[in-house]
Amino acid sequence: MAFAGRPRAPPLLWLLSGRLRAWRGLCALAMARPRCFALELRDCTLAHFALGAEGSDARPDPRLAELLGPPGRSYSLCLPAAADGDCGARVQAARVHQNLQRQLRSDPFQRCQLHRLLCYCPGSQAQGMQHGFLLRDPSDCLDTRRALLELLGRVQEAGRPHLGEFEADSQGVLWQRVWVLQESGQLQVGCARVLPTLEPPLHPVVPHLLSSVVFRDLDTARAILETCTSSIPEAQAVLDVVDKCPRQVQRGKFPVIAIEGLDATGKTTVTQAVSKSLRAVLLHSPPSCIGQWRKTFDDEPTIIKRAFYSLGNYIVASEIAKASAKSPVIVDRFWHSTATYGIATELSGGLQHLPPAHHPVYQWPGDLLKPDLVLLLTVSPEERAQRLRDRGLEQTREEAELEANSIFRQKVEVSYRRMENPGCLEVDASPSREKVLQTVLGLIRNTFQDL
């Protein structure tokens, strides 16, 4: 469905009410903040492009022609950016994004290809960032466009995504039309050329991580969950537990050892055996007092889920403070797990797009009790997959993602290795249980001579 010259909107659409106001608003935004996009491809690389005015002879990334041009047709859906610091708007946008993803993976879109798409403004940190999707219809079916408009019509107006439609002119130049929905129908409010742009030094999401999934303090995580109390009754219950915990806690005279690792690396077996051998208290994060609501929060968007797990760390920290006054403490997962899974989930693309080593996102929160030693259990991907199959237990979405997506697993593993203050000491958990236990106990006793 290529066309001659610059694409034009059907004349009838220009008669709809509000056209001039919407057009001027979009133009003003485009002039103030140039829009760039990061599109995740099937090989987990990112293709960057911009939208701008006619005139540049340079062509964008050639890989984009296969996803944006004929013979199929592609649509972009990006959610309006939430105001910086507005927790309620960010949570609402995350919910719309999650529901939109579920809808786009079901009928009548199952024949289409779905890609992660990020709209950002270079140099503006998290401000103006929009998360969304690119939907590629290989058959260029009119029913797809109709179904998209019906889907967007069911989204409340404040959180309704912008719908972009990509086409190529007779010269093969790619363009994007932008549509909005009004009571009287859809209205085209922009038409811009797809232009090349340089890949930014850091993934555009990186500056946003410390307020979206890797919370640097209790108050930031608490603010997110507080906005959910009206829709998630369990959120208030979690906050009630948090508010009963003392803000400032001190570790006792006995050591605190956190044991981390992916699912099926043997954490449960090792932590139980080590705690028995050392006569230590065994704690878990999230702790049992809120563990009953884990499934509820696992089904929520990442920002809510990570706030729940972050607050769980602060609750278990108060338990650690009490227990470590009387005996050693073993913790089955702690802050490192919360951070690594959040980073791997939030960042599109492959390993090369992770925050660089020594980035603040890898630093332990200043207001959270810190363990004396962190051990990271590791096994080969093949061994871990076999153990998961042998367990035969129901998996969370993240566990299933670890098994199915090797890039996601590698991002979690590399993030673990980049954690600092404290860092993780790796332990090969592939040998027999007895040998792994001996190795772990040896490391602990070499570090703490009195145990």
Side-chain angles (χ1 to χ4, degrees):
M1 296 181 65
F3 49 89
R6 180 172 177 165
R8 295 182 179 179
L12 178 62
L13 292 176
W14 294 107
L15 301 178
L16 296 176
S17 61
R19 172 191 61 79
L20 186 59
R21 183 170 59 255
W23 172 263
R24 285 176 175 171
L26 191 72
C27 288
L29 180 62
M31 291 176 64
R33 298 175 184 171
R35 293 176 296 157
C36 293
F37 294 81
L39 174 63
E40 186 176 54
L41 306 181
R42 287 194 174 277
D43 61 357
C44 289
T45 59
L46 298 180
H48 292 262
F49 64 95
L51 295 177
E54 185 176 4
S56 174
D57 292 330
R59 292 301 178 102
D61 189 327
R63 298 175 298 174
L64 292 171
E66 298 180 7
L67 282 174
L68 305 183
R73 184 173 296 266
S74 292
Y75 304 88
S76 63
L77 301 97
C78 290
L79 278 72
D84 193 25
D86 188 339
C87 293
R90 288 164 57 207
V91 167
Q92 176 62 23
R95 284 210 167 112
V96 172
H97 184 273
Q98 184 186 65
N99 290 334
L100 187 63
Q101 183 180 47
R102 289 172 177 168
Q103 294 287 334
L104 293 174
R105 285 178 171 171
S106 62
D107 286 334
F109 306 110
Q110 286 186 329
R111 67 177 181 274
C112 300
Q113 304 163 8
L114 191 62
H115 299 263
R116 293 174 71 175
L117 184 66
L118 180 72
C119 177
Y120 62 98
C121 301
S124 64
Q125 300 290 316
Q127 190 176 10
M129 186 176 300
Q130 302 179 32
H131 292 267
F133 305 96
L134 181 96
L135 187 73
R136 174 69 172 175
D137 181 6
S139 60
D140 191 7
C141 179
L142 290 177
D143 289 341
T144 300
R145 189 177 190 280
R146 187 180 302 112
L148 277 174
L149 292 172
E150 291 175 357
L151 172 60
L152 297 186
R154 296 193 294 268
V155 180
Q156 67 176 26
E157 189 170 352
R160 184 174 294 158
H162 304 303
L163 177 62
E165 183 177 9
F166 294 91
E167 292 181 313
D169 62 22
S170 58
Q171 305 301 315
V173 176
L174 294 170
W175 297 82
Q176 185 206 53
R177 294 177 181 176
V178 180
W179 304 87
V180 296
L181 295 184
Q182 296 186 342
E183 292 182 2
S184 52
Q186 67 266 23
L187 170 66
Q188 181 178 324
V189 294
C191 183
R193 184 173 176 177
V194 177
L195 298 172
T197 188
L198 295 175
E199 180 174 328
L202 285 178
H203 191 293
V205 165
V206 169
H208 188 49
L209 289 175
L210 290 174
S211 61
S212 62
V213 293
V214 184
F215 302 104
R216 300 300 301 150
D217 53 62
L218 184 149
D219 289 335
T220 306
R222 193 189 189 287
I224 295 297
L225 223 58
E226 195 168 12
T227 66
C228 304
T229 54
S230 61
S231 56
I232 309 175
E234 295 85 353
Q236 185 59 59
V238 173
L239 294 176
D240 290 342
V241 176
V242 171
D243 292 341
K244 291 177 182 178
C245 299
R247 281 286 182 138
Q248 300 294 330
V249 295
Q250 297 291 329
R251 185 177 61 252
K253 63 179 181 178
F254 289 93
V256 177
I257 300 103
I259 298 182
E260 295 278 4
L262 304 182
D263 292 284
T265 55
K267 289 188 313 304
T268 301
T269 300
V270 170
T271 53
Q272 290 176 349
V274 170
S275 62
K276 183 177 180 179
S277 296
L278 299 179
R279 297 180 181 179
V281 173
L282 175 58
L283 300 175
H284 301 264
S285 187
S288 57
C289 59
I290 65 170
Q292 59 187 311
W293 302 309
R294 182 174 177 178
K295 176 94 169 49
T296 297
F297 289 96
D298 278 345
D299 291 335
E300 292 293 333
T302 300
I303 189 172
I304 301 175
K305 182 193 310 183
R306 289 300 133 202
F308 166 76
Y309 282 102
S310 293
L311 293 177
N313 291 328
Y314 287 92
I315 296 171
V316 80
S318 65
E319 297 178 353
I320 292 172
K322 294 178 182 178
S324 61
K326 301 178 181 180
S327 68
V329 176
I330 306 298
V331 189
D332 185 344
R333 284 191 167 173
F334 206 4
W335 180 82
H336 284 349
S337 288
T338 306
T340 54
Y341 279 85
I343 294 168
T345 300
E346 192 73 357
L347 262 74
S348 56
L351 295 175
Q352 68 273 28
H353 299 293
L354 286 173
H358 312 303
H359 189 276
V361 77
Y362 300 122
Q363 301 293 322
W364 193 272
D367 64 345
L368 180 62
L369 184 149
K370 190 184 304 180
D372 300 288
L373 178 66
V374 181
L375 301 178
L376 174 63
L377 304 183
T378 63
V379 296
S380 69
E382 296 77 18
E383 173 69 16
R384 200 185 67 83
Q386 183 60 50
R387 292 182 181 184
L388 283 171
R389 288 191 290 270
D390 292 343
R391 280 178 11 182
L393 300 177
E394 183 180 356
Q395 295 176 312
T396 65
R397 276 204 310 269
E398 286 177 341
E399 289 170 348
E401 183 78 1
L402 282 171
E403 188 171 3
N405 187 335
S406 63
I407 299 297
F408 180 76
R409 172 181 52 77
Q410 292 173 50
K411 287 195 288 187
V412 173
E413 291 174 335
V414 171
S415 296
Y416 264 128
R417 295 186 180 108
R418 291 183 181 176
M419 292 294 161
E420 295 180 323
N421 191 33
C424 298
L425 185 60
E426 288 190 50
V427 176
D428 181 8
S430 299
S432 66
R433 296 180 181 180
E434 292 75 16
K435 188 169 183 179
V436 173
L437 177 59
Q438 291 175 2
T439 300
V440 170
L441 288 173
L443 290 171
I444 293 174
R445 285 170 173 150
N446 285 339
T447 304
F448 310 104
Q449 302 296 326
D450 296 336
L451 291 183

